[in-house]
Amino acid sequence: IPCGHAWSCQLGSQFECIFLSAQNGVNPDWEKKVIEYFKEKLKENNAPKWVPSLNEVPLHYLKPNSFVKFRCMIQDMFDPEFYMGVYETVNRNTKARVLHFGKYRDVAECGPQQEVDLNSPRTTTLERQTFYCVPVPGESTWIFLNFSFNAYVNANQARVSPSTSYTPSRHKRSYEDDEDMDLQPHKQKEQHAGARQAGSVGGLQWCGEPKRLETEASAGQQLNFLNLSSPFDLNFPLPGEKGPACLVKVYEDWDCFKVNDVLELYGVLSVDPVLSILNNDERDASSLLDPMECADTAEEQRVHSPPASLVPRIHVVLAQKLQHINPLLPACLNKEESKTCKFVSGFMSELSPVRAELLGFLTHALLGDSLAAEYLILHLISTVYSRRDVLPLGKFTVNLSGCPRNSTFTEHLYRIIQHLVPASFRLQMTIENMNHLKFIPHKDYTANRLVSGLLQLPSNTSLVIDETLLEQGQLDTPGVHNVTALSNLITWQKVDYDFSYHQMEFPCNINVFITSEGRSLLPADCQIHLQPQLIPPNMEEYTDSLLSAVLPSVLNKFRIYLTLLRFLDYSISDEITKVSISQCRSDNTVKRAMAQSKAARVFKKNQASTAEMLISYSKFTL
């Protein structure tokens, strides 16, 4: 077995054993036994690090029906589907009957002389939910590197020799048993012909051939199967994203998950190429039917049944909703658990020195402006912790004005932010982008899917809006709608998805940081004018030297600090509350009196040390 953990490779035999035990009355609740079995196995010897991940290991390195994990965001939710949870096969010669389970499978396998008895009274139809999941949008490179520390080990556990290098836009042949590595073209054609005699029922594909198809079609054949004139759209929210999208099939507690949730999934990988062929046959057959009798359109079938080589299926055994994706911290940072976590309690003693180092690092990034660095730290640790009516409590949008126009300053400042936060995106606010990019997700009723937009982002994503690139021009209707969407996101922390006949409000928790030359056109909770103390002759070299000067261990402490402080519990004493009230009452008057004087800068700097306290206080007074 080419796997360090045999239990993660021999899934079929393990499921079959548990199912047979249920038939014999030993384990009547066999589904629960499967879940308990894998929960226990994942506790052994740091087993989660040994499970191959679709985020780090190319798809063509992973064997079909192996146990894998996937870190993803739910981009869309399809309709529930029915499948044969239990089905019976009949031997055509001996008439012997065998009962099989259909859970965690797409294809019902039959022996050489077997066929599925569709009329068997022992057949059980069950329901499962399908999610369309994509890699976490805007995920930082350092997240990938930390998660993929054991990527080479993972690949060696379940890899086979790849045919070519992996890219999402190219189609790969599937995995073949050692004895089938030298299949000749005529044999492949015979297999394809046999597969076309297959059928499907109850959500499970099945075929009468003794062996499942193990060779995928070429890229051109795949396109012919789908009647596509262009490559399949993986529907990523952000442009330039890479990685596999997956159809995730959930069997238990799917009501707990919703669109835009970030999940870590453990399940069975299904990449059977026969799915593409069978689904194509179904499309061909449906085109001959009366349109009134065909429930699904060809476009919907194309989107909901993409080729497995591009969009693999994962049958979920275990699923966990993630609070964050920082691999340097425990997955769950609930208040009670964080108190008992040794790592968190140990790091608490380092908060002050880490913050001082982070302040110095960001001061250099902001060209020597320590006050702007203070506010940037406050922005990066802010989070919507509650909502009172429509008002989101805890958000802190910062507008950094005074940035050089049409320069690379924002680009390199964003590079710094990328090295600190788990997920981020820089929106270049040009007239062309505002008029042509799609910000708001909308429902495509023809394909019955949610078409993604730039603002379909998971919680705690850092959105950096570069307004220094904005020039004179005319915003057309889509551009105006996009600006309105950004304003609503900043003010109310919500995005109104377009469902044509109505809008559906999706609350979000996205940190928005705006860089501009003058005051931003967009609303902000705080404006701070950049006061550079130095002007580097080359911003790229300056940023490179700044990043290279920071030790990786120190950079990791910054990352832990910024993630951890979003989830820590805190309290404010009565004395601090009284000081905060008096400070808030006099704040506006003092600002007006000192706005044009040099002393205003000194006053703001003195207040920066209490800014965190004031923001925390506002969470309780609003």
Side-chain angles (χ1 to χ4, degrees):
I1 300 171
C3 180
H5 291 258
W7 57 268
S8 66
C9 297
Q10 298 176 318
L11 295 181
S13 60
Q14 293 160 10
F15 290 152
E16 200 72 47
C17 288
I18 297 176
F19 177 70
L20 292 175
S21 298
Q23 283 187 272
N24 297 328
V26 179
N27 291 321
D29 298 328
W30 76 276
E31 286 100 342
K32 294 181 180 179
K33 295 294 181 181
V34 169
I35 297 174
E36 293 172 1
Y37 174 82
F38 282 97
K39 281 184 177 179
E40 292 301 319
K41 288 297 182 181
L42 288 173
K43 295 178 182 178
E44 298 177 359
N45 299 324
N46 211 11
K49 290 186 177 180
W50 288 86
V51 177
S53 171
L54 283 176
N55 301 96
E56 288 86 40
V57 183
L59 180 61
H60 60 285
Y61 278 159
L62 300 174
K63 285 191 174 181
N65 301 319
S66 60
F67 194 65
V68 298
K69 63 182 177 182
F70 186 41
R71 185 177 63 259
C72 59
M73 183 193 78
I74 299 177
Q75 190 276 323
D76 196 5
M77 180 186 301
F78 293 163
D79 295 330
E81 66 179 23
F82 294 99
Y83 70 99
M84 293 190 298
V86 177
Y87 62 95
E88 193 172 34
T89 59
V90 182
N91 189 295
R92 287 191 291 267
N93 297 330
T94 64
K95 304 303 180 182
R97 292 179 172 267
V98 180
L99 206 61
H100 304 267
F101 75 97
K103 196 172 184 179
Y104 309 121
R105 291 179 174 176
D106 284 310
V107 177
E109 295 180 337
C110 305
Q113 301 298 325
Q114 289 180 328
E115 61 182 16
V116 176
D117 183 2
L118 302 179
N119 299 317
S120 171
R122 304 174 72 182
T123 299
T124 303
T125 302
L126 300 176
E127 187 180 27
R128 60 192 178 196
Q129 177 65 54
T130 301
F131 296 110
Y132 187 86
C133 295
V134 297
V136 180
E139 187 176 86
S140 299
T141 304
W142 64 269
I143 295 287
F144 173 83
L145 294 177
N146 278 276
F147 270 118
S148 62
F149 181 75
N150 294 308
Y152 288 107
V153 177
N154 294 343
N156 288 330
Q157 290 171 2
R159 69 181 290 174
V160 295
S161 297
S163 56
T164 56
S165 59
Y166 172 75
T167 56
S169 61
R170 298 183 63 182
H171 304 260
K172 304 288 177 269
R173 63 176 175 82
S174 183
Y175 313 93
E176 302 164 354
D177 297 333
D178 292 339
E179 66 270 21
D180 292 334
M181 289 296 289
D182 297 323
L183 286 176
Q184 298 299 319
H186 69 275
K187 188 174 181 180
Q188 294 180 17
K189 292 178 181 179
E190 291 173 359
Q191 288 185 321
H192 282 275
R196 287 192 172 276
Q197 298 174 2
S200 65
V201 66
L204 264 179
Q205 311 287 348
W206 59 275
C207 61
E209 293 297 314
K211 194 170 189 176
R212 290 193 305 172
L213 181 65
E214 294 290 349
T215 305
E216 287 192 23
S218 63
Q221 289 172 315
Q222 290 282 18
L223 293 177
N224 289 333
F225 289 159
L226 296 171
N227 296 320
L228 291 177
S229 58
S230 61
F232 185 79
D233 179 16
L234 294 179
N235 208 15
F236 292 138
L238 300 178
E241 292 282 284
K242 297 182 180 179
C246 291
L247 287 179
V248 173
K249 306 199 175 186
V250 183
Y251 295 85
E252 288 89 15
D253 301 325
W254 59 72
D255 292 337
C256 301
F257 306 129
K258 60 182 184 300
V259 171
N260 299 340
D261 280 349
V262 175
L263 307 179
E264 184 174 52
L265 309 171
Y266 290 87
V268 182
L269 176 67
S270 175
V271 289
D272 203 313
V274 75
L275 293 174
S276 302
I277 301 171
L278 292 173
N279 291 325
N280 180 71
D281 287 343
E282 291 174 1
R283 278 187 285 271
D284 293 342
S286 65
S287 64
L288 302 176
L289 300 177
D290 188 322
M292 298 301 294
E293 297 178 0
C294 184
D296 298 337
T297 64
E299 181 69 14
E300 181 175 351
Q301 291 176 349
R302 182 185 73 89
V303 168
H304 288 237
S305 300
S309 58
L310 284 181
V311 184
R313 281 66 164 165
I314 296 181
H315 295 266
V316 175
V317 178
L318 299 172
Q320 177 186 11
K321 187 186 299 185
L322 296 179
Q323 284 185 305
H324 64 89
I325 58 171
N326 190 334
L328 304 172
L329 280 167
C332 186
L333 290 175
N334 290 330
K335 297 177 182 178
E336 295 301 324
E337 294 190 16
S338 61
K339 292 178 181 178
T340 58
C341 179
K342 293 182 179 179
F343 178 84
V344 173
S345 59
F347 190 81
M348 292 296 292
S349 61
E350 300 185 55
L351 288 183
S352 295
V354 170
R355 188 189 190 282
E357 287 187 271
L358 177 60
L359 178 62
F361 176 70
L362 291 179
T363 298
H364 284 89
L366 291 165
L367 309 181
D369 191 339
S370 59
L371 180 62
E374 291 272 8
Y375 279 94
L376 181 54
I377 291 177
L378 297 178
H379 163 75
L380 292 175
I381 65 175
S382 63
T383 185
V384 177
Y385 73 95
S386 181
R387 294 178 186 268
R388 184 163 298 173
D389 295 329
V390 296
L391 186 64
L393 306 183
K395 73 181 182 70
F396 188 53
T397 300
V398 173
N399 170 212
L400 181 67
S401 59
C403 299
R405 183 176 180 82
N406 291 327
S407 73
T408 60
F409 171 76
T410 301
E411 177 185 348
H412 294 293
L413 177 60
Y414 174 64
R415 281 183 58 199
I416 299 293
I417 294 176
Q418 272 187 308
H419 278 77
L420 299 175
V421 300
S424 60
F425 178 68
R426 173 178 169 238
L427 173 59
Q428 301 179 50
M429 196 172 177
T430 64
I431 293 294
E432 182 179 1
N433 283 345
M434 300 306 293
N435 284 337
H436 295 96
L437 292 179
K438 294 181 179 179
F439 284 28
I440 301 298
H442 70 276
K443 181 72 173 183
D444 181 353
Y445 287 96
T446 302
N448 191 21
R449 71 164 177 171
L450 182 66
V451 179
S452 189
L454 283 178
L455 298 184
Q456 188 178 7
L457 301 172
S459 293
N460 300 319
T461 300
S462 291
L463 178 61
V464 178
I465 301 178
D466 187 356
E467 203 174 295
T468 65
L469 302 175
L470 190 61
E471 298 178 348
Q472 291 185 352
Q474 183 68 38
L475 285 177
D476 55 22
T477 301
V480 173
H481 289 165
N482 286 336
V483 172
T484 302
L486 285 176
S487 299
N488 289 336
L489 168 67
I490 294 169
T491 305
W492 309 112
Q493 283 293 309
K494 69 183 181 77
V495 180
D496 294 323
Y497 289 19
D498 183 9
F499 281 75
S500 296
Y501 310 105
H502 67 282
Q503 290 186 330
M504 184 174 294
E505 181 180 299
F506 280 74
C508 58
N509 184 7
I510 299 173
N511 286 18
V512 182
F513 184 77
I514 309 168
T515 61
S516 59
E517 184 183 21
R519 188 179 186 89
S520 173
L521 301 175
L522 299 169
D525 299 310
C526 173
Q527 181 195 3
I528 181 73
H529 195 79
L530 181 67
Q531 297 284 342
Q533 304 301 309
L534 58 97
I535 306 296
N538 188 308
M539 273 300 301
E540 184 174 1
E541 292 181 0
Y542 179 80
T543 305
D544 290 340
S545 61
L546 179 60
L547 289 172
S548 61
V550 183
L551 294 174
S553 59
V554 176
L555 204 55
N556 282 340
K557 288 183 178 181
F558 295 164
R559 296 159 177 166
I560 294 170
Y561 176 88
L562 294 175
T563 302
L564 183 60
L565 260 63
R566 292 183 175 184
F567 298 97
L568 285 182
D569 194 12
Y570 57 87
S571 60
I572 301 177
S573 65
D574 294 337
E575 294 180 358
I576 296 296
T577 301
K578 293 177 182 179
V579 175
S580 301
I581 292 174
S582 60
Q583 179 64 50
C584 289
R585 288 174 177 172
S586 61
D587 186 55
N588 288 335
T589 303
V590 175
K591 280 184 178 179
R592 292 191 194 100
M594 304 179 69
Q596 302 300 325
S597 68
K598 294 182 180 179
R601 187 76 180 169
V602 178
F603 173 79
K604 288 183 179 179
K605 190 168 185 178
N606 291 335
Q607 298 305 312
S609 59
T610 61
E612 285 171 303
M613 174 268 295
L614 293 175
I615 292 172
S616 299
Y617 172 73
S618 68
K619 295 177 180 179
F620 295 95
T621 57
L622 288 176

